[in-house]
Amino acid sequence: MTGPATAANARDEHPRVEVSGVAVSVDHYIGGRRVASAGTFEDRSPLDWGWKLADVSRGDAVDASAAVGAAVDAAPGWAALGPSGRGGLLRRLADLIDDAVPELAKVECADMAMLEESLRLRVLSRGARNFRAYADLAEAHEERVWTSGGTRNRVVRMPAGPTVVITPWNAPFMLSTWKTAPALAAGNPVVLKPAEWSPLSCSLLADLADAAGLPPGVLNVVQGIGEEVGAALVSDPRVRRVSFTGSPETGRVIASAAAANLVPFTGELGGKGPFIVFADADLDAAAAKAAAMYDDAGQVCLAGTRLLVEAPVRDELVSRFYAHVDRHVLGDSRDPATTVSPLIHPEHLARVAGFVDRARARGDRVLRGGRVWRDGGLWYEPTLVEPAGNDSEIVQREVFGPVLTLQTFAGEDEAVELANSTDYGLSALVWTRSEARAERVGRAVRAGTVWVNTFLVRDLTAPFGGIGISGIGREGGDYALDFCSDLKTLQILEGSTDREESDDG
Ligand code: NAD
């Protein structure tokens, strides 16, 4: 049952919890107001599982309906602002995000244990970039205009309408802005449901949207459990787009709910990226980057977690890799010296450990790590497994932890065959000094993004997404704006209208 709404926009009057010195609302943000649910769910810090952060409002079907209703009400006004009216507000929001980075970093570090320094220096400012990039793109869009068959034709982008955004617990603020920004820039009000394991930084996003002057109902944030309020949101027939990031398993469920209403769905799903090292590569650079796959405890969908190394350089690559892994420091994510954080949740730690235990039991060789680090904490040692075969579960399924596998290949064909041998296809890394090979292998590998001799460099105008069970649809640039729009073809019979009156320029 939905409780009474608190005073509208009353940042100071509304009850908040303090997280690392930052006041955070634990309630929904619906129609420009903070709204509490009768029920709550518990949010704990992975830094210290005894540290309870908050009891967060546990949204239900009534809250979901209220949030979609607020988005429906806000839709005409938001659409009428046009790209530049919306762009001005979204750029103001971006500026406020930049100003709030230190507070956001403290809260997200406590909530999901991502390294505070990397949040502060790198990850959170991407949230601001997301809003600026889409404000710019929506404004710069030029309608396609041409003449054929005696008609003047024009492709018009119309806002699609209320959009539900569902996001995962890793990098929650950045990933939520990545999906929210194109929807808002395209003219769609959003209902965002962050993951229940790291809900707090998205509550701060609601405050920032409020402070930026986004009209009530344009951005709504609903907290709660996926199977409860999340399921209610994605099956509401008033919703016109569903944009999801998370696991392939949940993606299937949500895609089915959207399909029942014939609503377009986009899903950025899991990854099991190959990390291909050819003998001609800069082996030290490759080894250093491979060791960096343990950053954020490996909880990164884009990580290249299957090391595929050309056989003659296997030992050299591994010894250089170990030298880099030795420099990793497991510890408290608030400490700048720490490079490997704890995992998000005891259930996730058990899941990661289960993969390695089953691998060991079936005859895969654990070359390094393979244990929980320090009883009572949520750290798992950086782990390298040499599988008995390519069909091993640990090769074929996403672990989403600090676990890499090691396999060798002989020549390009086998490298590509191994790279393409899972059901996933989100990202891949290729290390070689040969331009021709980079082109050949880069084209042959089945993945939405292939990085050659680098990693995580992103141009926000480029398409981004997965193949196979790694995703449906493409985000990034105009691809996301098209997804968030209904495209209309407007055809006017040439010579049938008075140019002066009909030409809107
Ligand atoms: P998840 O699929 O368990 O949950 C994601 C979100 O879906 C959460 O907010 C959850 O509450 C919600 N949800 C669950 N069931 C639902 C339902 N029936 N209806 C509506 N919502 C529901 O994923 P996770 O464990 O939070 O995140 C990890 C996964 O996300 C990994 O597979 C990772 O690779 C993937 N991921 C992908 C990308 C990408 O860009 N491709 C980025 C980050 C994470």
Side-chain angles (χ1 to χ4, degrees), residues 90-152:
L90 297 180
R91 287 191 194 92
R92 197 180 303 162
L93 173 56
D95 291 344
L96 293 179
I97 290 173
D98 276 338
D99 293 345
V101 159
E103 289 79 32
L104 288 165
K106 282 193 173 116
V107 170
E108 194 154 297
C109 176
D111 207 13
M112 85 140 287
M114 194 180 235
L115 302 178
E116 186 172 331
E117 194 172 67
S118 98
L119 282 166
R120 207 161 28 77
L121 300 181
R122 186 174 56 84
V123 180
L124 291 167
S125 56
R126 194 26 224 289
R129 274 179 64 208
N130 288 337
F131 284 108
R132 286 197 191 97
Y134 281 106
D136 290 351
L137 277 163
E139 265 179 32
H141 175 65
E142 284 181 18
E143 292 177 350
R144 186 182 160 214
V145 183
W146 76 107
T147 303
S148 68
T151 60
R152 249 185 315 124

Side-chain angles (χ1 to χ4, degrees), residues 215-431:
V218 165
L219 175 62
N220 307 276
V221 177
V222 175
Q223 303 287 7
I225 311 301
E227 293 80 357
E228 300 173 3
V229 73
L233 286 171
V234 297
S235 53
D236 189 310
R238 294 170 294 172
V239 168
R240 302 319 309 149
R241 291 292 184 274
V242 174
S243 177
F244 172 69
T245 303
S247 62
E249 295 73 25
T250 308
R252 284 195 176 93
V253 175
I254 296 181
S256 305
N261 291 329
L262 298 178
V263 167
F265 163 87
T266 179
E268 296 185 349
L269 310 177
K272 190 72 193 177
F275 187 117
I276 309 170
V277 185
F278 286 96
D280 68 353
D282 177 340
L283 291 186
D284 203 55
K289 201 52 88 180
M293 298 298 139
Y294 296 129
D295 292 359
D296 297 318
Q299 300 170 126
V300 178
C301 56
L302 295 165
T305 52
R306 292 182 291 136
L307 280 180
L308 306 176
V309 184
E310 197 157 15
V313 295
R314 182 231 188 243
D315 292 348
E316 189 182 346
L317 190 277
V318 169
S319 91
R320 286 172 188 259
F321 170 71
Y322 283 172
H324 288 285
V325 177
D326 286 341
R327 288 181 208 139
H328 270 306
V329 178
L330 282 69
D332 190 311
S333 309
R334 291 167 292 188
D335 182 347
T338 298
T339 62
V340 177
S341 64
L343 297 171
I344 178 80
H345 194 281
E347 276 174 30
H348 190 54
L349 176 66
R351 182 178 176 276
V352 168
F355 271 108
V356 179
D357 293 347
R358 287 192 298 279
R360 220 182 243 118
R362 76 179 291 285
D364 299 338
R365 281 204 315 148
V366 178
L367 299 179
R368 194 176 167 119
R371 280 177 315 200
V372 173
W373 183 74
R374 244 193 223 170
D375 281 349
L378 299 183
W379 289 264
Y380 197 79
E381 290 180 346
T383 296
L384 183 66
V385 178
E386 193 163 44
N390 191 48
D391 60 347
S392 288
E393 180 199 45
I394 204 143
V395 175
Q396 294 295 326
R397 287 204 46 211
E398 182 185 42
V399 178
F400 217 52
V403 178
L404 306 186
T405 57
L406 174 69
Q407 294 169 274
T408 55
F409 63 83
E412 265 177 48
D413 289 349
E414 196 185 3
V416 170
E417 193 184 318
L418 285 170
N420 292 347
S421 67
T422 74
D423 293 335
Y424 297 87
L426 187 60
S427 61
L429 291 88
V430 180
W431 294 80

